[in-house]
Amino acid sequence: MREEKGYTLVEMLLVLFMTGILLTWVVFSVNPTKASTDEGVFVSQLQSDLAYVQSYAFRYQIPVRLTFYPENGSYIAKNVLNETLFNRKLQEGVEIKASTLYNITFYPKGNTNRVGSINFARGGTKYQVTFRIGQGRYYVQKK
């Protein structure tokens, strides 16, 4: 009698079945993680852009205007020489909602020309960026 080495069909099907179960679990557990990561990237990018505009105005001693465009979901930063510092398109699913301001100017001392807030929505989550009077402080809050 000849002795053959190898796996039986039942053993191979069992391994494939367990691999399929593990892959399904990984795929369904990654989707919520991706959504929360995208949310974090949006907030982080917005805060970085605000800090950049404020520091640019301070460093180069010229005012910088940040304008939000709800109709096409973007915002643009330009200095008083009308040079574009950046033109940022919002992530898919992020919208600019009704707000008290759509443009704000950062002056060379770091302060802003006005106070108010701008609202964003991503799915069911709402964010509000509030600009305070005084030293140009701003806050990004999850509502």
Side-chain angles (χ1 to χ4, degrees), residues 17-34:
F17 176 73
M18 290 190 308
T19 304
I21 296 267
L22 287 173
L23 285 174
T24 303
W25 176 71
V26 167
V27 167
F28 286 115
S29 67
V30 166
N31 281 341
T33 304
K34 183 182 179 320

Side-chain angles (χ1 to χ4, degrees), residues 19-75:
T19 304
I21 296 267
L22 287 173
L23 285 174
T24 303
W25 176 71
V26 167
V27 167
F28 286 115
S29 67
V30 166
N31 281 341
T33 304
K34 183 182 179 320
S36 70
T37 301
D38 287 348
E39 189 174 299
V41 167
F42 161 68
V43 171
S44 177
Q45 182 68 60
L46 183 61
Q47 289 175 325
S48 295
D49 288 342
L50 290 170
Y52 176 72
V53 167
Q54 192 173 34
S55 64
Y56 184 95
F58 184 76
R59 181 169 188 243
Y60 293 103
Q61 292 296 298
I62 57 174
V64 177
R65 172 174 244 165
L66 185 62
T67 306
F68 294 91
Y69 296 99
E71 59 276 359
N72 63 0
S74 65
Y75 56 96

Side-chain angles (χ1 to χ4, degrees), residues 75-142:
Y75 56 96
I76 298 174
K78 292 185 177 189
N79 62 21
V80 292
L81 304 173
N82 209 26
E83 298 170 335
T84 301
L85 305 180
F86 60 81
N87 182 353
R88 192 86 62 216
K89 181 94 171 124
L90 295 176
Q91 289 179 353
E92 189 174 322
V94 177
E95 299 175 299
I96 300 172
K97 294 296 190 180
S99 303
T100 59
L101 65 91
Y102 292 101
N103 60 59
I104 188 162
T105 302
F106 286 87
Y107 291 120
K109 290 186 178 181
N111 56 342
T112 59
N113 66 333
R114 47 205 278 195
V115 297
S117 62
I118 181 127
N119 299 303
F120 296 91
R122 185 180 196 290
T125 309
K126 296 179 181 177
Y127 295 92
Q128 183 177 49
V129 181
T130 305
F131 295 91
R132 304 283 171 148
I133 196 159
Q135 298 177 359
R137 292 191 178 120
Y138 54 87
Y139 305 94
V140 179
Q141 299 171 337
K142 190 175 184 178

